[in-house]
Amino acid sequence: MSNSVISVISRFLEEYSTSTPTKLKMVDAYLLYILLTGALQFLYCLLVGTFPFNSFLSGFISCVGSFILAVCLRIQINPQNKGDFLSISPERAFADFLFAHTVLHLVVMNFIG
Amino acid sequence: MDRCGLFGFFIFSLAFTEAQALIPAHHLSLTDLARLQNLLSQTFIDLESAYYSVVGLKKLGVTVPDHKEVCQFVNSQLDPASVDSLFFAAEISQAISDCEIPVSNETRDILLAAVSEDSSMALIHRAVSTFSSLGLPLASQEVVSALTARINKEDNVMAITLALQTAARLSKQAELGGILEEIEDLTARLDDLGGIYLQFEEGLEATALFVTAAYSLSDHVDMEPPLKEDQVIQLVNSIFSKKSWDSLAEAFSVASAAAALSNNRFHVPVIVSVQGPATVSHSQPTLQLLVTDVMSQPLATVNVLVESAYSASSKSVILNEAPFTLNDGIFELNFMSTHPASGYYQFTVAVTGDSRLVASHVELKVKVSTEVAVTHMDLSVVDKDQSIGTKTTRVDYPSKAKSPFIADSHQNFAMSFQLVDVNTGVELTPHQTFVRLHNQKTGQEVVFVAEPDSKNLYKFELDTAERKFEFDSISGTYSLYLIVGDATLENPILWNVADVMLKFLDEEAPATIQPKTLYVPKPEIKHLFREPEKKPPTVVSNAFTALILSPFLLLLILWFKLGANISNFSFSPSTILFHLGHAAMLGLMYVYWTHLNMFQTIKYLAIIGGVTFLAGNRMLAQKAVKRLEKK
């Protein structure tokens, strides 16, 4: 059983490293970074406590929001999905990404206290 | 007799109405009369003031002193060419006998000329009155036509009142019907104030002169004025409510009205007042009433009787049609002869004997008071489980029990007594029956109420265990007082009956005897501010900050491994501007966190964002073109 799981994972990793364009891999690295940051924040909250709660929330929401926006960017610039996003060029996707981030950071900064 | 029956029916129907029949609230008491007389007796400066004084005093029934001096004064001040002067002189000479005013043909001509449609009402009135007082003949019909014409021209209250007064001086054969009707019109113009006062808005003088004129004319033609009983009483209230008068004219008008209301053929308001307090008792068994007219002159020819007297509490009728006896100007009734129980009684008194009487039914509240005696005062200490027999001690008022009573938590202290009326022996239930226990050492006092049972026997029981809170569990000797009081008792009782030694359980007694402090400052409340939450130690926070920043390092490593570079960086102005703008926006975020508020941030963001957007748009467009070219 575990054997098949390991083989599936190794196959997946191999597929990933070969067929994914570099641009997407960079976005994936960014996604991993955001994920780790969010997870560590949550760990802190579990271990030490929720004081100050508003700061924790703003930090966590920032991670979650950034993750979501980065996923959106990844979907939109993936050449395989070009058919779904005919009217949106990768540059446009990136511009949307930046604008959404501005709004997100405004809210996060307001709430961080 | 016919009118008497009608009058009686009117009163009967009045008695059945919701509201009480109106009785006068004000009249001229003897002190008021003295004051009025004083005002009218001032030395006169001119003929007008002399007229008011002399005629006013005559109306009050006071004899004017020094007739000769007055007559001399009048003759010296008289101006034969002035109608006013002649009027005053003529009226004064009629008031004091043996004073002659010389009359010449010129005088008569002047007076005749004044009686015409073109003169003012006041002038006509004075001229006609002078004719009448001097005994000179006058054609009444001409006067009536002049008056009627003037009434149409001068429609005010004073003018019409003067017309009425003038008509009263004319011959009875003249056609006075039209002028008589004016009384009713004027009555309609009176203002009703709260159902108690009826007066002209022109004031007291106008109202008083109207009353005088109306009754004077009504008496002259022998026709009852169209004033209802209640209206007459309301007029009485208005005229006599003012007890100090501004001017001689006002005082004169009040005196005239008083004379008119005490002595006319139709309506005489009667004033019934109780002499002294309306209380009867064994020592003072008679109820004394003073029955007078509005000028405080006693009405001697009337009969006074109690139509009904009933007890206010039990509503049982005690008296029915009992007459008062006239004793030296005062009407007396021995109420105690009917042996009434103590309490309040409602009397309806009727004054009869004269058909002119107005407000002849009066309601009075009479109190019958008595003396109380405490009998069968038995004190005892009863054991709670009633195993030991009770020993009752009888105490007689006003002595005190010889030995103190001892009661501890296993015993009850009991007291029973009866309250009886000294004169009749009937049991009484006064309003206040209190038992007061007073601790002599601490000054504490506790008051209880003694309640009567169904047989009117008063009982009081003190359960020491139950009542320890009232006493604060302080043991000691308490003096026991009995307090009896009521409005109908002439001898309230405060009697130190006995001393009671109460023993409470010692451990419950307070260490120091605190007086009940109700009005001292209370202890200060110290406000406790919200404690700030406990923060984790700085080491932990710093460690975690470092930990959270570590994935960034990982990101950089990963990017480097993937081959991220900035080799494609084109140094076009839009690119540089875009990057600068973007960096500025991130910097603004930091500054927002530390210094700014939302409004300022949005302002700066709009500016920087706008620039960055334009530059970025340019840059990305260039990038897109490059990408499409590469393709």
Side-chain angles (χ1 to χ4, degrees):
Chain A
M1 190 60 181
S2 56
N3 219 6
S4 55
V5 171
I6 292 169
S7 64
V8 163
I9 291 173
S10 61
R11 176 104 165 99
F12 165 73
L13 285 174
E14 210 187 296
E15 269 291 328
Y16 176 77
S17 53
T18 47
S19 59
T20 323
T22 323
K23 225 186 248 187
L24 290 183
K25 279 194 192 152
M26 296 198 13
V27 177
D28 287 339
Y30 174 70
L31 281 171
L32 181 68
Y33 153 65
I34 293 289
L35 186 75
L36 283 176
T37 313
L40 284 171
Q41 280 186 339
F42 192 66
L43 185 71
Y44 171 85
C45 177
L46 283 179
L47 288 179
V48 185
T50 58
F51 179 79
F53 195 51
N54 57 313
S55 307
F56 159 69
L57 277 181
S58 82
F60 195 67
I61 293 291
S62 167
C63 291
V64 170
S66 306
F67 190 85
I68 292 166
L69 289 172
V71 165
C72 289
L73 180 68
R74 190 186 190 280
I75 292 172
Q76 284 178 342
I77 63 173
N78 196 348
Q80 288 173 335
N81 291 339
K82 213 168 177 173
D84 295 326
F85 299 106
L86 279 173
S87 60
I88 302 174
S89 62
E91 286 75 27
R92 170 69 196 280
F94 185 65
D96 285 343
F97 173 79
L98 283 181
F99 175 69
H101 257 284
T102 312
V103 174
L104 176 71
H105 277 92
L106 199 64
V107 171
V108 162
M109 283 315 195
N110 186 31
F111 203 52
I112 206 163
Chain B
M1 213 51 221
D2 187 46
R3 203 188 286 148
C4 200
L6 209 68
F7 200 63
F9 176 74
F10 185 53
I11 295 296
F12 189 74
S13 59
L14 260 186
F16 270 77
T17 53
E18 287 287 299
Q20 287 272 46
L22 206 56
I23 55 165
H26 304 286
H27 66 283
L28 280 180
S29 66
L30 292 167
T31 38
D32 297 331
L33 267 177
R35 210 179 302 124
L36 189 58
Q37 209 179 306
N38 222 4
L39 181 59
L40 290 171
S41 307
Q42 289 173 342
T43 38
F44 18 88
I45 40 171
D46 61 1
L47 215 50
E48 186 172 354
S49 52
Y51 160 69
Y52 286 133
S53 299
V54 173
V55 181
L57 285 174
K58 178 91 193 290
K59 294 219 187 218
L60 291 179
V62 177
T63 46
V64 180
D66 297 328
H67 285 198
K68 276 221 166 51
E69 265 196 51
V70 174
C71 204
Q72 261 183 322
F73 177 79
V74 168
N75 277 314
S76 67
Q77 295 274 323
L78 176 61
D79 171 17
S82 144
V83 175
D84 291 335
S85 184
L86 284 165
F87 164 70
F88 295 136
E91 294 293 311
I92 294 173
S93 76
Q94 219 201 10
I96 51 175
S97 48
D98 67 332
C99 187
E100 284 285 331
I101 306 291
V103 180
S104 65
N105 278 342
E106 284 93 34
T107 322
R108 203 173 308 170
D109 291 334
I110 293 167
L111 290 174
L112 259 176
V115 181
S116 83
E117 263 181 39
D118 306 312
S119 323
S120 72
M121 189 68 87
L123 204 61
I124 300 177
H125 165 247
R126 288 188 173 180
V128 172
S129 305
T130 316
F131 263 110
S132 161
S133 302
L134 292 176
L136 301 170
L138 181 64
S140 297
Q141 209 47 47
E142 279 177 34
V143 182
V144 172
S145 50
L147 285 177
T148 322
R150 278 326 288 184
I151 287 174
N152 288 333
K153 283 195 207 149
E154 283 180 65
D155 198 26
N156 59 67
V157 167
M158 280 306 290
I160 302 179
T161 307
L162 288 173
L164 294 173
Q165 195 70 285
T166 317
R169 307 296 282 262
L170 299 173
S171 110
K172 292 193 198 177
Q173 274 76 40
E175 278 289 311
L176 300 172
I179 301 179
L180 197 65
E181 278 168 19
E182 294 297 330
I183 300 181
E184 202 165 347
D185 290 345
L186 276 186
T187 316
R189 285 204 217 179
L190 288 161
D191 295 325
D192 187 323
L193 301 175
I196 301 182
Y197 298 100
L198 201 60
Q199 58 195 54
F200 285 118
E201 63 177 10
E202 282 84 351
L204 172 61
E205 205 178 321
T207 316
L209 287 175
F210 162 69
V211 169
T212 317
Y215 281 105
S216 148
L217 183 58
S218 301
D219 278 355
H220 191 65
V221 299
D222 201 14
M223 280 190 69
E224 190 175 351
L227 290 167
K228 300 198 203 74
E229 264 207 26
D230 277 353
Q231 287 179 316
V232 176
I233 302 302
Q234 285 179 310
L235 284 166
V236 166
N237 287 339
S238 296
I239 296 171
F240 301 116
S241 62
K242 191 171 180 189
K243 302 297 186 180
S244 72
W245 304 276
D246 301 327
S247 62
L248 266 182
E250 200 174 56
F252 171 75
S253 67
V254 171
S256 311
L261 285 167
S262 345
N263 196 8
N264 67 76
R265 281 198 219 149
F266 305 100
H267 301 143
V268 175
V270 63
I271 312 284
V272 177
S273 51
V274 182
Q275 188 92 314
T279 310
V280 292
S281 64
H282 217 71
S283 48
Q284 234 186 335
T286 50
L287 182 67
Q288 295 178 321
L289 293 183
L290 206 56
V291 178
T292 65
D293 58 19
V294 290
M295 268 182 15
S296 297
Q297 288 170 331
L299 298 171
T301 56
V302 296
N303 298 318
V304 183
L305 66 114
V306 181
E307 275 190 349
S308 77
Y310 62 89
S311 156
S313 50
S314 65
K315 307 270 187 267
S316 55
V317 178
I318 307 284
L319 281 182
N320 219 333
E321 310 286 328
F324 276 74
T325 47
L326 181 56
N327 189 354
D328 196 18
I330 297 176
F331 288 89
E332 289 185 344
L333 175 74
N334 188 335
F335 190 41
M336 290 307 283
S337 59
T338 54
H339 302 293
S342 65
Y344 288 92
Y345 292 86
Q346 197 73 10
F347 273 53
T348 311
V349 175
V351 182
T352 56
D354 194 334
S355 57
R356 304 174 300 165
L357 295 177
V358 172
S360 53
H361 283 64
V362 182
E363 299 266 330
L364 292 171
K365 198 167 183 184
V366 179
K367 179 169 84 170
V368 175
S369 54
T370 184
E371 293 186 7
V372 71
V374 185
T375 59
H376 302 72
M377 170 64 85
D378 293 326
L379 304 166
S380 55
V381 177
V382 184
D383 219 55
K384 273 203 192 153
D385 48 8
Q386 305 201 325
S387 56
I388 309 170
T390 63
K391 190 179 67 150
T392 48
T393 317
R394 169 65 60 91
V395 189
D396 292 315
Y397 180 73
S399 47
K400 188 169 156 177
K402 289 188 205 55
S403 53
F405 293 83
I406 304 173
D408 62 17
S409 51
H410 303 294
Q411 293 159 327
N412 287 348
F413 174 76
M415 190 164 92
S416 78
F417 56 94
Q418 263 194 320
L419 296 172
V420 290
D421 186 332
V422 165
N423 304 309
T424 59
V426 172
E427 285 138 8
L428 291 174
T429 49
H431 288 163
Q432 300 169 328
T433 45
F434 301 133
V435 175
R436 173 177 174 247
L437 288 142
H438 177 76
N439 187 330
Q440 279 147 353
K441 258 202 309 233
T442 63
Q444 243 192 331
E445 71 172 19
V446 187
V447 183
F448 298 99
V449 178
E451 306 260 336
D453 64 10
S454 53
K455 294 200 202 65
N456 282 343
L457 179 72
Y458 277 88
K459 280 198 168 66
F460 168 67
E461 230 182 67
L462 179 64
D463 184 342
T464 40
E466 224 181 289
R467 295 271 178 225
K468 61 181 180 210
F469 293 113
E470 276 91 341
F471 290 93
D472 274 344
S473 300
I474 299 173
S475 315
T477 313
Y478 289 81
S479 319
L480 186 108
Y481 291 85
L482 177 69
I483 303 173
V484 177
D486 191 86
T488 56
L489 291 181
E490 287 192 333
N491 62 331
I493 291 178
L494 174 66
W495 177 23
N496 187 354
V497 183
D499 285 330
V500 181
M501 210 140 59
L502 294 174
K503 282 206 178 69
F504 297 98
L505 297 166
D506 272 328
E507 53 257 25
E508 289 165 345
T512 49
I513 295 157
Q514 291 275 23
K516 278 224 166 27
T517 50
L518 288 172
Y519 302 109
V520 295
K522 295 236 190 312
E524 195 181 328
I525 304 168
K526 292 245 177 316
H527 180 75
L528 205 65
F529 285 101
R530 210 185 83 180
E531 304 266 347
E533 278 192 41
K534 282 189 72 171
K535 282 194 274 218
T538 330
V539 177
V540 176
S541 310
N542 290 344
F544 268 94
T545 312
L547 193 63
I548 281 178
L549 289 174
S550 60
F552 187 64
L553 226 73
L554 178 67
L555 178 70
L556 290 173
I557 295 168
L558 278 173
W559 273 355
F560 181 68
K561 274 190 87 177
L562 284 169
N565 51 33
I566 51 170
S567 55
N568 239 353
F569 194 78
S570 55
F571 283 91
S572 62
S574 49
T575 320
I576 298 173
L577 201 60
F578 165 74
H579 280 104
L580 281 176
H582 194 228
M585 269 171 29
L586 292 173
L588 179 67
M589 285 298 139
Y590 175 75
V591 175
Y592 172 37
W593 181 35
T594 49
H595 298 297
L596 304 173
N597 63 35
M598 180 66 101
F599 301 105
Q600 293 164 316
T601 315
I602 290 205
K603 192 171 60 180
Y604 295 136
L605 195 65
I607 302 165
I608 302 172
V611 168
T612 313
F613 170 73
L614 290 168
N617 199 20
R618 199 58 167 318
M619 179 195 81
L620 286 173
Q622 287 170 351
K623 266 214 134 104
V625 161
K626 229 190 272 179
R627 178 172 57 90
L628 287 170
E629 268 177 6
K630 221 168 35 172
K631 269 234 175 97

